[in-house]
Amino acid sequence: ITTAHNLIAAMIDNSLQQGNELNLDPRRIVWRRVMDLNERALRSIILGLGGKANGVPRESGFDITVASEIMAILCLSTDLMDLKERIRKIVIGYTYDGKAVTAGDIGAAGSAAVLLKDAVKPNLVQTLEGVPAFIHGGPFANIAHGCNSLQATRLGLKLSDYFVTEAGFGADLGAEKFLDIKCRLGGLTPSAVVIVATVRALKMHGGRKKTELAQEDLAALEKGMTNLEKHIENIASFGLPAVVAINRFPTDTEAELALVEEKCSRLGASVALSEVWEKGGDGGLDLGRKVMEACGKRSSFRFLYEPSLSPKEKIGKIAREIYGAAGVTYTDQAEKDLAQIHELGKDDLLV
């Protein structure tokens, strides 16, 4: 993914060097380079220094590979040819008169797809107990959709009676994008959702300091439960049953665990202790049974919004219904970006 991404970047700079036939404005190239390492000194750089033979000087920078658009679209592609078509449509910059230029315009789609011909295939691995698992893709949930590849999920569904996949960053960020984006584009209908929580984290939400989390504190736990309750509410809004998996720590008391179970039960979510870190698969048997029970319940899966809504309407629904916001205030730059999206005819894209 790093190589394919940087190939496109190299072809952009080569296009500038070879006479700029596409009339690209070097100040409006939005395709940066990536590397699989956090390196703050390279976030903003000037490249092309050293004379005519080294290219056209311009401002640019590096992002981390998991933030690459290639990573995101690989995880949403159905096969290699679909991936190639998605690469072709990537907007890499704008001309001096404001027209969008794509990776297809600079002739990079085919070459990038060839570099990804093996990467597009799911990786089959196994757990310590021999359970098969796919490790394939990792787009950031805060800037992309935070889910593994659609191909791995579809393959897993073909090979098992129950298939578990992860949506990172909680039921407000990762799960919303998994349900509204990945499930919509992949034609997937989930049977149930597992929300992972810890007593320690809930007490922190209730105001306890990290150094105090080993002490029983039912008041802080009850106060912090509002966070978990909102996650359960979010999942219910999609019409899906929820199971809360409590990753148990040695410092959790019976009273604290009972409080979490009581609160969750009131909202219609079942609760199971997860002790797999200590006991391996045996520590997740109760969780597995409750997930199977939840999968057997009737559900009415639905999306939060329709693609036909305007970007502001979609953003507003997510902000209000998932995050509990009263409304959304846009910066001047955000307004400009939304205007650009409208001019490109992309108002129907998912958020």
Side-chain angles (χ1 to χ4, degrees):
I1 290 173
T2 301
T3 304
H5 183 113
N6 290 338
L7 168 70
I8 297 173
M11 292 183 70
I12 292 169
D13 284 302
N14 187 62
S15 180
L16 294 175
Q17 175 77 346
Q18 301 300 329
N20 197 10
E21 182 181 340
L22 296 173
N23 198 32
L24 261 173
D25 184 347
R27 301 164 302 177
R28 300 195 65 197
I29 294 172
V30 296
W31 192 260
R32 293 153 57 89
R33 284 166 167 80
V34 297
M35 62 190 300
D36 201 16
L37 177 73
N38 285 311
E39 173 54 282
R40 68 180 71 249
L42 295 177
R43 290 175 183 171
S44 298
I45 63 172
I46 297 176
L47 49 78
L49 299 178
K52 184 177 179 181
N54 290 341
V56 177
R58 65 182 183 88
E59 290 187 46
S60 188
F62 279 79
D63 297 316
I64 194 166
T65 299
V66 289
S68 167
E69 188 171 347
I70 297 286
M71 174 71 83
I73 64 176
L74 180 141
C75 289
L76 290 173
S77 298
T78 56
D79 54 34
L80 182 60
M81 297 312 294
D82 182 38
L83 174 61
K84 178 182 176 181
E85 178 62 16
R86 290 174 181 272
I87 294 173
R88 186 187 67 80
K89 295 177 181 178
I90 293 174
V91 174
I92 56 90
Y94 299 88
T95 63
Y96 282 103
D97 52 358
K99 295 181 180 178
V101 178
T102 67
D105 293 330
I106 63 168
S111 300
V114 168
L115 288 171
L116 296 166
K117 65 182 177 63
D118 292 321
V120 77
K121 301 172 185 176
N123 303 304
L124 179 63
V125 299
Q126 62 180 332
T127 69
L128 290 173
E129 297 183 357
V131 178
F134 289 112
I135 306 292
H136 196 219
F140 267 4
N142 54 348
I143 54 123
H145 60 289
C147 308
N148 76 321
S149 77
L150 179 59
Q151 288 191 81
T153 299
R154 283 179 167 174
L155 189 55
L157 288 168
K158 294 279 189 180
L159 299 174
S160 57
D161 296 319
Y162 294 88
F163 183 73
V164 182
T165 187
E166 182 189 14
F169 286 80
D172 46 4
L173 187 59
E176 184 274 319
K177 292 183 176 183
F178 171 81
L179 297 168
D180 274 324
I181 298 176
K182 182 176 176 178
C183 289
R184 192 193 309 257
L185 295 180
L188 303 173
T189 301
S191 302
V193 175
V194 179
I195 302 172
V196 182
T198 67
V199 169
R200 290 169 59 85
L202 292 170
K203 286 193 288 190
M204 273 193 91
H205 286 305
R208 275 297 213 178
K209 295 179 181 178
K210 188 176 181 180
T211 55
E212 303 171 339
L213 298 179
Q215 305 167 23
E216 181 179 276
D217 190 333
L218 297 179
L221 178 59
E222 185 162 11
K223 186 178 179 182
M225 274 296 298
T226 55
N227 183 283
L228 178 55
E229 288 167 354
K230 178 56 178 169
H231 284 295
I232 297 172
E233 178 186 308
N234 285 344
I235 296 305
S237 70
F238 288 96
L240 295 170
V243 178
V244 175
I246 303 175
N247 272 343
R248 186 172 190 173
F249 280 73
T251 54
D252 297 346
T253 68
E254 293 300 325
E256 289 174 329
L257 294 171
L259 177 61
V260 174
E261 183 167 6
E262 177 196 352
K263 294 285 187 180
C264 293
S265 297
R266 288 183 186 176
L267 294 174
S270 59
V271 180
L273 292 183
S274 175
E275 299 175 286
V276 294
W277 67 272
E278 176 188 2
K279 302 176 182 178
D282 288 341
L285 291 176
D286 183 47
L287 174 59
R289 282 190 288 266
K290 289 186 176 177
V291 171
M292 290 172 67
E293 289 173 7
C295 289
K297 295 179 179 178
R298 282 191 175 186
S299 62
S300 54
F301 176 54
R302 55 188 174 272
F303 300 118
L304 182 66
Y305 59 81
E306 291 302 319
S308 58
L309 295 177
S310 71
K312 282 191 174 182
E313 288 174 319
K314 285 179 277 198
I315 292 169
K317 282 187 74 70
I318 294 171
R320 289 190 301 273
E321 297 184 31
I322 299 299
Y323 293 93
V328 182
T329 302
Y330 293 87
T331 63
D332 291 342
Q333 185 59 52
E335 293 283 7
K336 291 178 181 177
D337 290 343
L338 288 172
Q340 178 105 59
I341 289 170
H342 180 71
E343 289 175 15
L344 292 172
K346 303 296 185 182
D347 283 350
D348 61 341
L349 287 179
L350 305 178
V351 174

